[in-house]
Amino acid sequence: MITKETTWTNVGPSSNFPLHLGGCVKVGGKQIAIFHLSTEQKWYAVQNFNPQNQRMVLARGLTGDADGTPIVICPLHKYRYALDTGACLTDDQFSLETFPVKEVDGELLIEA
Ligand code: FES
């Protein structure tokens, strides 16, 4: 049986990540885009790499809502991704890896 080992990594004060805008951190060699949406008071973490055109751009995307699903819209070709599942809402051949993220005592932790 293969198990995936993960650990929680402190990526700094949550105040470093402004509401509705993306931030990018590197954890375990992966670039991870982090978003904080006020509508749900929730944090989301997804890969920064957009598989559609293989660019590290999603942390610069626009956030929004698609029929109740929190999304990020890629700044280049406007592909839309669900932040909770990583599913691409524009073309279902693409998807993003998502990561557990939580705020503890003002610090942001990512499991990757
Ligand atoms: S690079 Fe993101 S939609 Fe094309």
Side-chain angles (χ1 to χ4, degrees):
M1 183 170 100
I2 298 174
T3 58
K4 181 180 169 190
E5 268 192 46
T6 59
T7 56
W8 288 97
T9 300
N10 185 330
V11 296
S14 57
S15 58
N16 285 349
F17 301 90
L19 270 175
H20 306 296
L21 298 177
C24 189
V25 297
K26 198 168 187 181
V27 177
K30 298 176 183 175
Q31 284 191 29
I32 299 176
I34 298 173
F35 300 94
H36 184 206
L37 303 189
S38 67
T39 46
E40 310 169 43
Q41 286 299 317
K42 283 190 75 171
W43 292 91
Y44 297 95
V46 299
Q47 68 186 52
N48 189 38
F49 181 79
N50 185 340
Q52 183 272 335
N53 203 23
Q54 304 183 357
R55 304 289 172 97
M56 296 287 193
V57 292
L58 290 173
R60 294 177 179 265
L62 297 172
T63 58
D65 176 282
D67 296 326
T69 299
I71 61 169
V72 59
I73 304 168
C74 182
L76 291 183
H77 306 109
K78 312 302 183 234
Y79 276 43
R80 301 179 314 149
Y81 292 92
L83 286 170
D84 52 356
T85 65
C88 182
L89 305 179
T90 307
D91 183 338
D92 64 10
Q93 73 175 303
F94 301 115
S95 64
L96 305 177
E97 184 176 6
T98 62
F99 302 91
V101 56
K102 63 185 177 183
E103 185 178 14
V104 178
D105 297 331
E107 299 288 313
L108 207 59
L109 306 176
I110 291 184
E111 188 177 31

